[in-house]
Amino acid sequence: MNKVFLTTMMMGLMTVAGANTSSHINVTSDSLEYDAKTQTSIFLGSVKVSRGAVNLYADKVVAKRLADGSSQGVARAFSDKQVKVIQDLPREKQVVEGFADTVEYSSNSGMFVLSGHAKVKRYLCGQLHDTIEGDSIYYDSQKDTYRAVQKKGKYVETMILSNPKSPETCQTQGN
């Protein structure tokens, strides 16, 4: 199957901490539907969205450019798959991975909302540092904060490893 490759200046679709806000957004997918009147793009099949330090993988992404120049998007996975978001911050020796059935993003707020079997893992120096699981996880990329919620009668699960390596320790140990 041929991939559709789109490079665009949809500023703000994936402005996140550590991402270059002037960089292009690169999208590959099996197909693309674009409506110039509504400024809406629908990417289907093996979708990969890349911008700066962030890569998003999904079965379907709907991205809309708003009148104020900001953007919002919704990514979905089908069957037993999940949407995957990876933010690689090499200067901090940190990688953040998010998984969910649906991921929504608004460039106005910098907020990612991971819904449905949501999980966020953070790695420092290549080692798992912490994990958060819940029905929904809200990630504020401008403040670098998380909030997890669970359906009534269930608990949010969190795992934090003791004695994690700091980025400085990684550098001195060559990791």
Side-chain angles (χ1 to χ4, degrees):
M1 223 182 268
N2 288 337
K3 294 280 185 186
V4 173
F5 182 73
L6 174 71
T7 301
T8 181
M9 290 296 290
M10 293 176 10
M11 298 301 296
L13 176 61
M14 294 191 62
T15 304
V16 296
N20 180 349
T21 58
S22 64
S23 66
H24 286 57
I25 296 171
N26 296 311
V27 181
T28 59
S29 64
D30 292 336
S31 67
L32 162 67
E33 295 176 29
Y34 177 70
D35 185 332
K37 188 174 182 178
T38 64
Q39 295 287 294
T40 303
S41 299
I42 301 172
F43 302 94
L44 290 171
S46 302
V47 182
K48 178 183 178 186
V49 181
S50 299
R51 180 171 189 183
V54 177
N55 291 298
L56 179 142
Y57 303 88
D59 291 322
K60 179 179 181 179
V61 173
V62 178
K64 182 171 179 65
R65 179 122 178 160
L66 305 177
D68 66 1
S70 65
S71 300
Q72 55 187 222
V74 177
R76 290 195 167 78
F78 304 123
S79 302
D80 59 346
K81 297 191 231 171
Q82 286 192 298
V83 176
K84 181 177 183 179
V85 181
I86 301 173
Q87 182 179 18
D88 188 4
L89 303 168
R91 193 170 352 137
E92 293 84 6
K93 302 224 181 248
Q94 177 175 277
V95 174
V96 179
E97 295 180 340
F99 305 88
D101 299 335
T102 302
V103 175
E104 298 178 47
Y105 179 72
S106 170
S107 68
N108 281 335
S109 65
M111 185 69 71
F112 283 90
V113 179
L114 291 78
S115 301
H117 308 97
K119 185 175 200 174
V120 173
K121 296 179 178 182
R122 187 165 57 118
Y123 296 86
L124 292 174
C125 304
Q127 295 182 345
L128 183 63
H129 180 266
D130 51 44
T131 301
I132 302 168
E133 294 184 54
D135 188 56
S136 296
I137 298 174
Y138 299 81
Y139 172 54
D140 186 329
S141 64
Q142 295 172 357
K143 296 178 183 174
D144 196 23
T145 59
Y146 299 88
R147 179 172 60 94
V149 296
Q150 191 62 287
K151 292 181 180 176
K152 189 174 183 175
K154 294 188 176 187
Y155 295 99
V156 171
E157 293 186 34
T158 306
M159 182 206 56
I160 302 170
L161 296 178
S162 59
N163 300 321
K165 290 184 179 181
S166 68
E168 296 80 23
T169 305
C170 294
Q171 292 170 355
T172 60
Q173 293 180 352
N175 292 333

